[in-house]
């Protein structure tokens, strides 16, 4: 694969994040950490800096949330059609940067936090046990550039594209940062 093809492939972001929803609020919303500063565990070894996340925290507002990520095979089979209504799990009402989330392990200080309106099966699962579900982004980077972080080659994400919007999906296991908000 040539460098241009590698960079274009690395614009696709899919990062599972250890972000469990907080308990259901009186207005049927929950708070989640969408993503934290870290080198992600998804494809491409993407580096998400605190500065980039702070500047892009608002981008997630209005994004739909689905139950699980859509596999590449399912996306291809859909032939460009949108996801099924049966896959809907909620939406992000608002998102912001919170500097007060402490650094922990491989995660830097801060997090993108979101107020989320879960629906259907997801809402029921959160009501029964909010620690069962985590969240994972599916997005496009505005651009990436190569760098070395802790002796390893990484792709530094320069921004998260607002158009077309991505999704923050409900998953069972995450890996790119976050905790119960």
């Amino acid at each position: 694969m040539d460098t241009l093809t590698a960079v274009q492939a690395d614009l696709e972001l899919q990062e599972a994040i250890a972000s469990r929803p907080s308990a259901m609020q009186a207005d049927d919303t929950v708070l989640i950490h969408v993503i934290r500063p870290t080198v992600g565990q998804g494809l491409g070894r993407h580096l998400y800096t605190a500065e980039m996340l702070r500047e892009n925290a608002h981008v997630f507002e209005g994004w739909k949330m689905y139950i699980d990520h859509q596999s590449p095979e399912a996306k291809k089979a859909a032939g460009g059609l949108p996801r099924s209504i049966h896959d809907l799990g909620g939406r992000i009402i608002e998102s912001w940067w919170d500097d007060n989330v402490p650094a922990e392990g491989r995660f830097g200080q801060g997090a993108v936090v979101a107020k989320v309106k879960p629906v259907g099966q997801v809402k029921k699962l959160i009501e029964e046990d909010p620690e069962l579900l985590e969240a994972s982004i599916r997005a496009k980077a505005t651009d990436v550039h190569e760098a070395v972080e802790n002796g390893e080659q990484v792709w530094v994400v320069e921004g998260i594209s607002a158009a077309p919007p991505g999704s923050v999906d409900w998953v069972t296991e995450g890996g790119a940062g976050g905790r119960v908000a």
Side-chain angles (χ1 to χ4, degrees), residues 1-11 43-44 146 155:
M1 180 173 354
D2 65 27
T3 304
L4 179 58
T5 305
V7 169
Q8 288 171 333
D10 285 323
L11 293 176
L43 298 174
E146 235 176 319
W155 292 100

Side-chain angles (χ1 to χ4, degrees), residues 23-155:
M24 195 70 66
Q25 305 295 305
D27 63 355
D28 287 337
T29 63
V30 294
L31 297 178
I32 65 169
H33 292 171
V34 175
I35 191 165
R36 299 190 59 190
T38 192
V39 174
Q41 301 297 297
L43 298 174
R45 306 261 321 139
H46 294 104
L47 172 61
Y48 302 94
T49 66
E51 296 76 23
M52 184 281 295
L53 292 173
R54 182 181 300 107
E55 291 171 10
N56 288 265
H58 68 284
V59 169
F60 300 97
E61 290 182 16
W63 283 18
K64 291 179 182 172
M65 299 184 77
Y66 296 98
I67 298 170
D68 296 320
H69 284 312
Q70 186 178 36
S71 72
E73 297 80 16
K75 186 174 182 174
K76 184 177 179 180
L81 294 174
R83 300 271 309 255
S84 168
I85 61 170
H86 302 289
D87 295 340
L88 285 171
R91 66 184 167 88
I92 295 179
I93 296 170
E94 62 180 306
S95 60
W96 61 92
W97 176 254
D98 183 350
D99 272 319
N100 296 315
V101 176
E104 179 181 10
R106 64 184 182 83
F107 307 112
Q109 177 97 16
V112 175
V113 177
K115 181 177 183 178
V116 170
K117 178 78 169 179
V119 297
Q121 173 186 357
V122 170
K123 182 179 176 186
K124 289 177 186 174
L125 285 169
I126 293 169
E127 288 170 342
E128 290 184 28
D129 187 350
E131 294 191 25
L132 287 174
L133 295 175
E134 297 181 4
S136 180
I137 69 167
R138 188 89 186 243
K140 272 195 174 288
T142 57
D143 205 356
V144 296
H145 67 270
E146 235 176 319
V148 175
E149 178 80 9
N150 297 324
E152 294 188 45
Q153 186 269 331
V154 296
W155 292 100

